[in-house]
Amino acid sequence: SIQWAPVASIRVCRDGVTRKSLGYGYVNFHSVSDAERALETLNYSSIKGRSCRIMWSQRDPSLRKSGAGNIYVKNLDLSIDNKALYDTFSLFGNILSCKVAADSTGKSYGYGFVHYETEEAAKQAIERVNGMQIGDKTVQVNKCVKRPDREKPDTATFTNLYVKCFPDDWEEEKLTAEFSSFGK
């Protein structure tokens, strides 16, 4: 049986109005080694059928907000879970956070994020894992770029439109007739 160290304090985060748990909290230990052992032992363990994610609490939000060391992994095999992603990418440096994007039932969307403590670890992970086969798929690994910082496509060169919700009985001729007055 595992001997646990005494816990200094625990805080379950709750909704300000309903006081219902938000599903996360903080556990403080008296020593770094006790916290490390808890993280290594319990990270990705199952609690009531859900994979428990544990990471170091970053009190300084500037590292998180800067995006430094954050990578985006796409085309993930749907069998890859948080632990498998963590195990694959932990070879390159200390991971602050690691998550496979999934729906409310836990079904993967096929992409994930890994946030490293250093930009160098992220660069190494991109160089070594991009184009590698994990499970049955070849993954693409890139530096994570926040949505507002992404390059906007030049819509002046777009010529294709996606059209939906037209009547089921319309064929190409009817669609052509409907849109041809706008140009070729």
Side-chain angles (χ1 to χ4, degrees):
S1 128
I2 299 171
Q3 291 296 309
W4 297 109
V7 170
S9 66
I10 290 179
R11 178 172 166 240
V12 173
C13 296
R14 299 185 179 281
D15 180 277
V17 177
T18 66
R19 303 304 299 151
K20 184 178 178 212
S21 169
L22 295 172
Y24 69 93
Y26 299 90
V27 179
N28 296 308
F29 288 90
H30 293 286
S31 76
V32 173
S33 62
D34 291 341
E36 283 173 340
R37 194 175 53 194
L39 188 144
E40 289 167 9
T41 306
L42 295 173
N43 203 12
Y44 303 111
S45 62
S46 181
I47 297 177
K48 292 197 169 192
R50 292 183 64 192
S51 179
C52 177
R53 286 179 60 220
I54 302 172
M55 61 196 92
W56 291 107
S57 173
Q58 280 296 332
R59 297 193 72 84
D60 179 5
S62 63
L63 182 61
R64 276 194 326 268
K65 290 180 180 170
S66 76
N70 208 358
I71 63 174
Y72 173 69
V73 185
K74 69 179 184 178
N75 202 37
L76 278 175
D77 188 296
L78 298 183
S79 68
I80 302 297
D81 62 6
N82 290 328
K83 181 165 179 22
L85 190 68
Y86 182 91
D87 290 346
T88 300
F89 284 90
S90 63
L91 306 169
F92 307 104
N94 189 31
I95 293 175
L96 301 176
S97 175
C98 180
K99 181 176 175 104
V100 172
D103 67 16
S104 59
T105 68
K107 184 177 182 293
S108 170
Y109 287 130
Y111 67 91
F113 302 91
V114 180
H115 193 178
Y116 286 100
E117 191 171 38
T118 67
E119 192 69 41
E120 185 51 45
K123 262 175 68 178
Q124 195 176 57
I126 292 168
E127 289 168 10
R128 302 271 299 278
V129 183
N130 187 37
M132 190 172 112
Q133 187 163 335
I134 301 176
D136 288 336
K137 295 204 172 186
T138 302
V139 296
Q140 291 178 33
V141 184
N142 297 293
K143 185 175 179 356
C144 187
V145 179
K146 293 179 185 168
R147 190 167 277 138
D149 299 336
R150 291 181 196 157
E151 217 173 273
K152 305 272 188 291
D154 179 10
T155 55
T157 62
F158 279 11
T159 59
N160 297 337
L161 297 177
Y162 170 73
V163 182
K164 69 179 199 174
C165 297
F166 55 82
D168 293 341
D169 61 349
W170 279 22
E171 298 292 334
E172 278 104 8
E173 298 81 27
K174 178 64 177 155
L175 204 54
T176 301
E178 202 63 34
F179 283 87
S180 61
S181 64
F182 296 98
K184 293 186 183 223

